[in-house]
Amino acid sequence: MEQLQLAAHWIDNHFVAEETGMPIACRSIQSIDELRDSLRAIILKLMHTDFDRLLQAAYRIDIEECAFVNALAAQDADLITELVIERTLQKVKYRQQYRSQA
């Protein structure tokens, strides 16, 4: 649960702005499905209204480029959502692991 909330905060930092609505982290995400649904809606909106911002966010999150390009070519918002969540949860896990070792 804690990892989901941390992931939601990080995703908010890269994707959510005033024009896209309430930050994901403020919605008390209870499951990966809730996170996925919220992020997918934001990604769909960015794909159609602010494509540059979507690209910048993907770059900052450090999504694997080849997979991201393929998902963009297919206009696959579900796959982009999965790539973002997967990478963000990886970062959360690594930071928690290294923090506990320090």
Side-chain angles (χ1 to χ4, degrees), residues 2 16 18 22-23 26-28 31-35 42 51 56 63 65-66 78 80 82-83 86 91 98-99:
E2 179 185 342
V16 178
E18 296 83 30
M22 183 187 348
C26 292
R27 299 178 194 166
S28 296
S31 71
I32 192 77
D33 291 332
E34 287 181 51
L35 179 61
I42 292 167
F51 191 72
Q56 291 170 2
I63 296 172
E65 185 177 354
C66 185
D78 291 329
I80 295 170
E82 290 304 318
L83 292 170
E86 178 183 304
K91 286 182 169 185
Y98 289 119
R99 184 177 300 138

Side-chain angles (χ1 to χ4, degrees), residues 7-19:
H9 280 288
W10 287 5
I11 289 169
D12 284 344
N13 288 339
H14 297 295
F15 283 97
V16 178
E18 296 83 30
E19 66 271 7

Side-chain angles (χ1 to χ4, degrees), residues 10-89:
W10 287 5
I11 289 169
D12 284 344
N13 288 339
H14 297 295
F15 283 97
V16 178
E18 296 83 30
E19 66 271 7
T20 59
M22 183 187 348
I24 294 171
C26 292
R27 299 178 194 166
S28 296
I29 299 297
Q30 299 296 315
S31 71
I32 192 77
D33 291 332
E34 287 181 51
L35 179 61
R36 185 179 295 114
D37 292 344
S38 297
L39 179 58
R40 184 180 183 280
I42 292 167
I43 287 174
L44 278 170
K45 184 170 185 171
L46 291 175
M47 285 175 75
H48 298 290
T49 62
D50 198 349
F51 191 72
D52 287 339
R53 187 148 170 241
L54 176 62
L55 295 177
Q56 291 170 2
Y59 177 78
R60 286 191 312 267
I61 291 173
D62 192 30
I63 296 172
E64 198 268 307
E65 185 177 354
C66 185
F68 182 67
V69 168
N70 289 337
L72 283 177
Q75 293 287 304
D76 191 343
D78 291 329
L79 181 54
I80 295 170
T81 301
E82 290 304 318
L83 292 170
V84 169
I85 290 172
E86 178 183 304
R87 182 64 179 132
T88 304
L89 287 173

